[in-house]
Each structure stands twice: as structure tokens, then as C-alpha cells.
Amino acid sequence: MIAPEYHIRDCVEADMDLIRYLFSVEGFSDLTSPEGIRVAVTPDNTMYGACRLEQGSDGSWNVRPIVVFDVVQGKGVGRALLKDALRLHPDLRLVARGEIEPFYLSCGFERCGWDAIAPEYRAECEACPDKAACGPLPFRSLPIERTFTFLGTSSGCGVPAFFCHCPACEAARKDPTKRRGCTGVALRGHGTTIIDASPDIRHQLNREGIDVIDDFFLTHAHYDHMGGLGEFEYFIRLYLMGTMPFHGSEHAIAEALKEYSYMDDCFALDVMNPYDVREVDGLAIQALPLKHAPGTFGYLITTPEGRRTFYAPDTSDLKPEVIEMLKGVDNLVMDSTFWENHGTARSHHDVRQTVHEGIDILDAGHIYLTHLAPHMCDPGVNEIDEIYAYAAQFDGRVIVAEDGMQFTL
Ligand SMILES: [Zn+2]
Ligand SMILES: [Zn+2]
Ligand SMILES: [Zn+2]
């Protein structure tokens, strides 16, 4: 592979002499600590550029400033630093020289009024002796579309399962569009967050054109949800050249690291307790405890606009307190493992239970059926076909999830 020329990381004290020089050229000589500064550096730690994110007295987040060394102009460093900044603070303000306007317009910003800029920064511009030459303009980041993509929609063993000749598997052998990989999802905004690494994840990421993962959440430590974790190793070692944030329950993380002990230096581990919330790429992602395997979470994803999506690929009956939290959820993406035959263990939902809970108890806007397992069917019955026919009676409110299907969060 062609290793990236530079990557972006938090600024550390050792960078500060250079940062002070770099920023003073731009008129920022008030630097006291590396806090809030992100730097673009090569593998041998040569700095290409830096960006400081500072919170104004009005609570807004501001780029103050972004600087790229002249000799590396044209390598997309400024654009990469801004993308990184937007992932950390999606609602971002900045004041820039008028002549640079086209650059910011092409990076997801729009011109805004001076009233969107914190008063102390406005005053700074007013008092600046270079104001006339600089022609400063205020900018604000544009809201972006945030999407939820199904990477896979099958329970463990996929459709077709190599050993299974049920009608659904036979149909999938003949028609690739009917194939399903193990479950996982991608949340895309300024960055990409992946929930669960199924054994099929390499193909899923290639299919979706995902070449960078910024955050990883694990629902639980079953093979069909973490069997693809090893695929991340070389992405982390060769591309990130750092660690990848890995969020999950204490039990799930411990089990995953037992399987992938040789990757224990690859992750920035984040143990979440039930009901903990993490802010990731502008989304609030809350861990809700589920009855399934030890330490299983579903994740309640809330956008800055307050739209809510719940992802729970593996769950038995929902706890009363979880039901209360999910009432009125916009999108319910839930375990629909079984159709007619429940098997022996009741550690999952069946299709009718998910639809009943989604409509009658939670009043969910849309209900997506995932983690499908059509194999234990009655003779000659294609369960997937039956599930589609069943879902069709709900006028589009109940949707059979498919690999690659996407909706706006
Ligand atoms: Zn599963
Ligand atoms: Zn499971
Ligand atoms: Zn089958």
C-alpha cells in the first residue's frame, strides 16, 4: 500500500516550540498549552500544519488559526485538518482573510454574519491594524447529511451459510443481491463510525467505499460481531499509525482482546457502563444494556437535531427502563433473528416481536428488521420471502434491511 504522507494527531508539549512560531506568524501569540491543537505530521514527526480549536465566550467552537507550512501547500493538509476539526466540533466558526473565501466554501463552510462570531474575536478583528488589507470574513460550517448504512443484515453464518441448503440460501446462491453478510453498520458524517466488525467486514467496507474508520463500537463479543476485528490491524498500524478508539462494555472489550491479544496496542480502549453517552462526530451515542450475552449493549444514536435511532442487532426481551427510553424513537433497527421457528435459546427477538414492540409499544417511526436467520425453516419455505410479504402490510413503516441499505439519521 501507499502509506499516507502525514496523519493528524493531538498536539503534545514537544510540538509547542514549532507551534508557537507557526501561530505567531498568523498573529496568534497567546499560546499556553497544546490543548485543543491538532497537528498534521509525517511518520518521522515532521510537522506539515496545525489547527487550534478554541471555545469562545458564547460557547461556539472556533478555528483559531489553521496554518500549513508553505513548502507543503497543495497536499490537502489544510483540507484534512478542517475535516478533522469538523469531526470533533461539527458546528465550527472561523474568521478568514477575504481572499481565502473559495477554499472555505469548498470545505463545507458558508459565509455568516459577524453576530455568529464570539464578541472577543470580533473585537480582535476590529482592533487589528491589518484589517483593511486582510478583509476578514466570518464563516460557519454547514450542517451535513448523516447516514446509517447496513454493512450486513444476517445473523452468524450469513446467507447463504456454506452448509445450508434452505430455500433462502439456495436463492442467495443463484442471485447475489439476495446475499447477506453478518451484521454491522456504518455511521457517516464528517467521519466514519463503525458498530461491530463482522467476519465479512473487509468486503463490506470495500463495497461501501469506506477507507478510514474514526471510531469503533462493539455491541457484544460474539463471533458474528467481532470476528472481523483482525481486519483493522494493518489499517491501524500502517495508516493510522496510532490507535483506534474502541468503545464497548468492559466484558465485551475484555473478550475481544482475549481473541486478538496481539492487537492490544492497537486500540484506545473506552469502557462504557450502561447508559453512558459518548459524543462522536457530532452524534450522541448511548449504551443501553440488553439481555443477550454478558455485557451486550444496543446503541441509541441521537443527532444534533434530536433525531434518534436505536441499533440492537442481538437482544432478548427489552428491560422496562430501556423501553421507556426508546418511546417515540425515529428508527428502530432491531434483532429479527427468527420467523416461525425460535430454536431453543430465547436470547433473540423474532420478526413479529420486533414489529409489535416497534409499533405498539415504542411507536417507532420506522422499524428495520436485521440479523435475519432464515435457515431453520419448514420444508420448502423461503423465510426471507415470507418476511418481506409480512413487512409489506405496514405501508413502508416496517423495512426488511438489506446489505448496503442506507437511511438518513
Ligand atoms: Zn449476532
Ligand atoms: Zn450475539
Ligand atoms: Zn439457509
Side-chain angles (χ1 to χ4, degrees):
M1 82 172 227
I2 300 171
E5 197 173 330
Y6 59 89
H7 68 285
I8 297 171
R9 60 160 170 78
D10 281 331
C11 179
V12 294
E13 198 57 52
D15 302 318
M16 285 305 285
D17 281 347
L18 193 51
I19 289 285
R20 283 193 188 91
Y21 164 73
L22 199 58
F23 283 15
S24 68
V25 176
E26 293 292 310
F28 290 84
S29 47
D30 57 334
L31 269 76
T32 51
S33 84
E35 198 187 338
I37 301 174
R38 300 279 286 168
V39 292
V41 293
T42 63
D44 67 0
N45 233 9
T46 302
M47 195 180 297
Y48 275 10
C51 174
R52 180 174 60 159
L53 302 171
E54 191 177 62
Q55 199 164 23
S57 62
D58 60 355
S60 66
W61 282 96
N62 300 264
V63 175
R64 285 177 50 82
I66 179 167
V67 189
V68 175
F69 278 107
D70 283 345
V71 288
V72 293
Q73 297 282 349
K75 292 181 187 291
V77 179
R79 200 172 288 276
L81 282 166
L82 274 181
K83 188 171 159 56
D84 174 74
L86 286 166
R87 191 173 59 78
L88 297 170
H89 301 291
D91 184 5
L92 207 53
R93 325 282 164 90
L94 61 89
V95 175
R97 282 194 189 88
E99 63 188 22
I100 320 175
E101 179 175 9
F103 170 71
Y104 288 107
L105 295 182
S106 74
C107 288
F109 286 79
E110 62 177 350
R111 286 269 300 278
C112 64
W114 280 99
D115 55 348
I117 304 298
E120 65 274 24
Y121 304 149
R122 279 202 309 258
E124 224 173 70
C125 261
E126 284 303 321
C128 175
D130 298 329
K131 189 181 175 206
C134 173
L137 293 173
F139 294 87
R140 182 174 191 164
S141 57
L142 287 160
I144 49 157
E145 188 192 14
R146 298 174 181 281
T147 57
F148 179 111
T149 305
F150 288 93
L151 296 177
T153 54
S154 163
S155 66
C157 67
V159 181
F162 75 87
F163 54 86
C164 182
H165 295 280
C166 76
C169 284
E170 289 299 346
R173 280 192 183 89
K174 291 193 195 88
D175 180 354
T177 65
K178 294 181 173 168
R179 292 180 190 171
R180 292 167 191 275
C182 292
T183 52
V185 298
L187 311 175
R188 283 183 275 192
H190 290 292
T192 299
T193 300
I194 298 292
I195 305 180
D196 286 347
S198 90
D200 302 310
I201 196 156
R202 182 162 60 86
H203 305 291
Q204 296 169 339
L205 296 173
N206 281 326
R207 186 191 69 219
E208 298 304 327
I210 294 170
D211 55 5
V212 174
I213 301 166
D214 297 294
D215 272 90
F216 174 68
F217 285 77
L218 181 63
T219 59
H220 65 298
H222 278 166
Y223 173 73
D224 54 325
H225 300 260
M226 65 161 201
L229 213 48
E231 295 289 349
F232 295 161
E233 182 181 5
Y234 291 101
F235 162 70
I236 294 168
R237 294 196 193 284
L238 300 180
Y239 184 90
L240 284 186
M241 294 181 276
T243 54
M244 184 167 83
F246 177 173
H247 316 266
S249 70
E250 187 172 9
H251 184 274
I253 287 177
E255 288 294 305
L257 289 184
K258 226 186 273 175
E259 294 287 327
Y260 296 96
S261 55
Y262 52 88
M263 288 175 70
D264 62 355
D265 58 338
C266 285
F267 301 110
L269 298 174
D270 172 33
V271 170
M272 294 179 77
N273 292 310
Y275 306 106
D276 278 359
V277 182
R278 296 292 183 266
E279 297 284 338
V280 171
D281 193 14
L283 299 169
I285 300 182
Q286 184 172 26
L288 301 189
L290 300 176
K291 288 186 245 172
H292 178 65
T296 300
F297 287 153
Y299 291 106
L300 178 59
I301 302 148
T302 305
T303 67
E305 297 78 29
R307 284 182 53 80
R308 301 187 304 148
T309 296
F310 184 55
Y311 181 63
D314 294 47
T315 180
S316 181
D317 298 339
L318 299 176
K319 296 168 191 266
E321 55 270 37
V322 169
I323 288 175
E324 276 313 305
M325 298 180 73
L326 294 178
K327 284 189 174 161
V329 72
D330 294 284
N331 301 298
L332 179 71
V333 183
M334 203 150 79
D335 186 337
S336 303
T337 303
F338 297 114
W339 174 236
E340 297 291 358
N341 299 313
H342 291 170
T344 47
R346 289 296 289 122
S347 56
H348 287 285
H349 269 51
D350 64 52
V351 171
R352 290 186 182 86
Q353 184 184 6
T354 289
V355 172
H356 162 65
E357 288 174 3
I359 290 178
D360 303 323
I361 298 175
L362 302 177
D363 192 24
H366 286 101
I367 297 137
Y368 291 86
L369 312 177
T370 193
H371 203 272
L372 304 169
H375 317 291
M376 289 184 281
C377 57
D378 292 328
V381 172
N382 182 329
E383 289 201 347
I384 298 276
D385 287 348
E386 293 206 341
I387 293 168
Y388 273 101
Y390 171 75
Q393 66 185 291
F394 298 98
D395 298 325
R397 191 173 178 189
V398 176
I399 296 153
V400 183
E402 297 172 359
D403 293 21
M405 184 182 274
Q406 186 171 298
F407 62 83
T408 301
L409 281 169

